[in-house]
């Protein structure tokens, strides 16, 4: 095998969805934007639909079209970015439900696709997407008269349970949606874990399904094994990689492995990153290149055939930490060169 293998554990994915659904005790959707957080929206969606998920969310209409092809008719597919200019045909053809974010989007939607279902997204303080209280109060009665599928908002600080923003947004959501009949939704993964006050009628977890924080009890879903291309001995004082960034302080064995920043193993991981051979950790040395990473395997008893970056020993969030980023960015950045293997 010349490229790295990304193994995706279908039963862990399904277990994570079920366990968030048990926590929420309300309709539990699956967020599969960004190609299922990098793992493949079609395969993720198919597995979760088979487990009983009936509500899916994507960011853009084009993602919804691809997901509809994988899922067939039945599950609802909603779009966070709402109804953008030019999306009418995709929304109609793939039977997608835009989450309307503004008066302009609502006008566009009812003009382009009269009678086609839509949901509503409200801004409760994050200032990113959705209608603000003023805009909402003008539109509320007209929009609600058309039976929206969902009225939703999004939390800015849900991964910090003690953050006052959580209750502030919840109160704002309560005020903006008081007395309405439409189903309501406020929580993604973080909000689902904040407790029942945040669950309303539907929760929308994404990262937790894929084994990422803040769902600390998630089963790991992703394993990344990278083949060793070559191993060489390096004498004291010799250097490794671009800019001579690492110098051997002892006689060393260096393994060159087949993945790099073009595969989403970002250069900022630099020399803080570790990989594993079995349960032994081995450090990255020198710079991460586009297609290659060099690893000090001097302390291993045998030459490894491959090294593991993500797996039981090291979560996607640990790997993200090497680069000062979050698991979301590592997952969604995993490139197109991996062999993606689904395991049950
Ligand atoms: C991405 C997203 C989600 C899922 O968030 P996670 O933190 O991955 O669970 C839910 N709702 C909205 C509006 C989103 O943008």
């Amino acid at each position: 095998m010349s490229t790295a293998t990304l193994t995706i554990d279908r039963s862990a994915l399904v277990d994570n969805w079920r366990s968030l659904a048990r926590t929420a005790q309300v309709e539990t959707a699956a967020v599969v934007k960004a190609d299922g957080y990098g793992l493949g929206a079609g395969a993720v969606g198919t597995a979760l639909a088979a487990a009983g998920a009936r509500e899916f969310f994507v960011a853009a209409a084009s993602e919804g079209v691809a997901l509809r092809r994988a899922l067939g008719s039945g599950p609802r597919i909603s779009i966070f970015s709402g109804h953008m200019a030019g999306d009418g045909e995709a929304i109609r053809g793939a039977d997608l439900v835009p989450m309307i974010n503004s008066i302009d989007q609502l006008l566009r939607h009812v003009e382009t696709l009269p009678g086609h279902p839509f949901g509503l997204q409200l801004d409760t303080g994050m200032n990113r997407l959705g209608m603000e209280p003023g805009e909402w109060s003008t539109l509320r009665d007209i929009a609600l008269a058309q039976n929206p599928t969902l009225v939703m908002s999004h939390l800015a600080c849900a991964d910090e349970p003690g953050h006052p923003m959580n209750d502030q947004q919840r109160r704002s959501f309560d005020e903006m949606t008081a007395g309405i009949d439409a189903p309501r939704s406020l929580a993604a993964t973080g909000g689902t874990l904040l407790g029942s006050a945040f669950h309303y009628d539907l929760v929308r977890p994404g990262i937790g399904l894929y084994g990422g924080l803040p769902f600390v009890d998630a089963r790991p879903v992703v394993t990344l094994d990278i083949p060793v291309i070559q191993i060489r001995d390096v004498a004291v004082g010799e250097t490794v990689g671009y800019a001579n960034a690492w110098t051997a302080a002892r006689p060393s064995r260096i393994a060159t492995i087949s993945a790099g920043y073009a595969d989403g193993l970002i250069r900022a991981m630099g020399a803080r990153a570790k990989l594993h051979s079995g349960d032994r950790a081995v450090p990255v040395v020198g710079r991460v290149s586009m297609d290659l990473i060099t690893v000090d395997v001097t302390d291993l008893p045998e030459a490894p055939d491959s090294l593991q970056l993500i797996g039981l020993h090291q979560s996607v969030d640990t790997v993200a930490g090497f680069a000062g980023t979050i698991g979301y960015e590592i997952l969604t950045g995993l490139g197109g060169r991996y062999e993606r293997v689904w395991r049950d």
Side-chain angles (χ1 to χ4, degrees), residues 31 33 37 80 121 128-129 152-154 187-190 204-208 214 328:
V31 177
K33 59 193 180 185
Y37 288 51
F80 290 136
Q121 185 156 198
R128 194 180 66 165
L129 272 185
M152 60 166 281
S153 187
H154 193 51
T189 302
R204 317 179 304 269
I207 192 72
Y328 296 75

